[in-house]
Amino acid sequence: MPAPQKKLIFCIAGVLSFACALGAAAAVGTQLWVRGTILCTTGALLVNASGPELHKFIGQIEYGLFCGQRVRQCGLGGRPLRFSFFPDLLRIIPASIHVSVILFCTVLIVFALVGAGFFMFNAFGSPYETLHGPVGLYLWSFISCSCGCLIMILFSSEVKIHHLSEKIANFKEGTFTFKTHSEQFANSFWTILVCSLVHFLNALLIRFAGFEFPFSKSKDSGTITGAVDMMY
């Protein structure tokens, strides 16, 4: 592929990587990871609520990696309450998983910025043969994509398997018991998914620019090696 086209591809990949870093950083700081509704089962059972009456006992919950907000509703109107994971909820949540999610988010942002820098360097500079060259670009893209996948897997397990929404809803609730009525992942979670897909796309762009994947052997080298082996 001609050099101008390679520069254009590297510029596009660099811009995409930088945009992913900004998007991931913005996603980490928001509380738009999970949105849902919580049902006050104690209040609903006391009055035997059903149908339209049940809506008086359904509150809302919304949280991210550091903070969130819940609106408890037990028939007397909504009462909003803000909370933070550190240190308020650290005793009731799977702390190791939650900290791992934050750690991988940090790694994703850092390597997305590193990848963006090296993409631009390869577009306008003289790339080195190792980490600054195509092999390094594959490496940064692979690490960023892997971190994004790990973030989604760990956070999904924290929410679905460990019932994070119910633990948050029942935090410091001695009288009433809350149950998750509905929950869905919000914008910030899907931003991480988009970032992972973009880094995978960057790897394809590098391949499209004419560079082989790392550890791949060409057919010519295999043929030559076979011919040499036949000589001995």
Side-chain angles (χ1 to χ4, degrees):
M1 178 177 291
Q5 295 184 19
K6 290 183 180 180
K7 289 183 178 182
L8 178 60
I9 290 176
F10 283 146
C11 287
I12 294 174
V15 171
L16 290 176
S17 185
F18 183 74
C20 285
L22 294 181
V28 170
T30 66
Q31 62 182 39
L32 301 177
W33 284 70
V34 175
R35 282 177 176 170
T37 56
I38 49 176
L39 173 65
C40 180
T41 55
T42 304
L45 289 174
L46 284 176
V47 300
N48 196 19
S50 61
E53 297 178 352
L54 198 62
H55 291 284
K56 298 180 180 180
F57 299 91
I58 296 178
Q60 290 81 35
I61 188 170
E62 180 181 87
Y63 58 89
L65 298 181
F66 295 97
C67 62
Q69 181 177 357
R70 65 172 182 170
V71 179
R72 61 191 302 271
Q73 194 159 301
C74 298
L76 300 175
R79 297 182 181 180
L81 174 66
R82 292 191 61 83
F83 58 86
S84 60
F85 283 90
F86 304 98
D88 297 342
L89 302 174
L90 202 59
R91 292 178 286 110
I92 64 170
I93 66 172
S96 59
I97 298 178
H98 199 77
V99 173
S100 297
V101 172
I102 297 175
L103 178 62
F104 282 119
C105 284
T106 305
V107 176
L108 171 62
I109 295 170
V110 171
F111 277 93
L113 290 174
V114 171
F118 282 118
F119 273 117
M120 291 301 179
F121 184 82
N122 279 268
F124 299 104
S126 300
Y128 296 107
E129 294 182 357
T130 54
L131 292 182
H132 293 75
V135 176
L137 298 180
Y138 281 122
L139 178 63
W140 313 134
S141 300
F142 174 76
I143 293 176
S144 300
C145 183
S146 300
C147 287
C149 294
L150 288 173
I151 291 168
M152 292 185 294
I153 293 172
L154 291 175
F155 190 75
S156 299
S157 66
E158 185 181 8
V159 174
K160 299 298 182 180
I161 298 178
H162 294 275
H163 306 289
L164 184 60
S165 299
E166 283 191 10
K167 290 181 179 180
I168 295 174
N170 290 286
F171 178 63
K172 291 185 178 181
E173 288 289 345
T175 305
F176 296 98
T177 302
F178 292 88
K179 184 179 180 181
T180 303
H181 186 261
S182 66
E183 63 180 0
Q184 60 273 345
F185 296 109
N187 299 340
S188 295
F189 179 84
W190 300 119
T191 299
I192 301 298
L193 174 61
V194 172
C195 289
S196 301
L197 295 177
V198 167
H199 287 296
F200 180 75
L201 175 63
N202 282 348
L204 296 181
L205 287 176
I206 303 170
R207 179 66 185 89
F208 182 72
F211 297 104
E212 296 288 341
F213 288 115
F215 310 111
S216 62
K217 296 182 179 179
S218 61
K219 296 181 180 180
D220 296 337
S221 61
T223 305
I224 295 173
T225 304
V228 172
D229 292 338
M230 291 294 291
M231 295 175 63
Y232 293 93

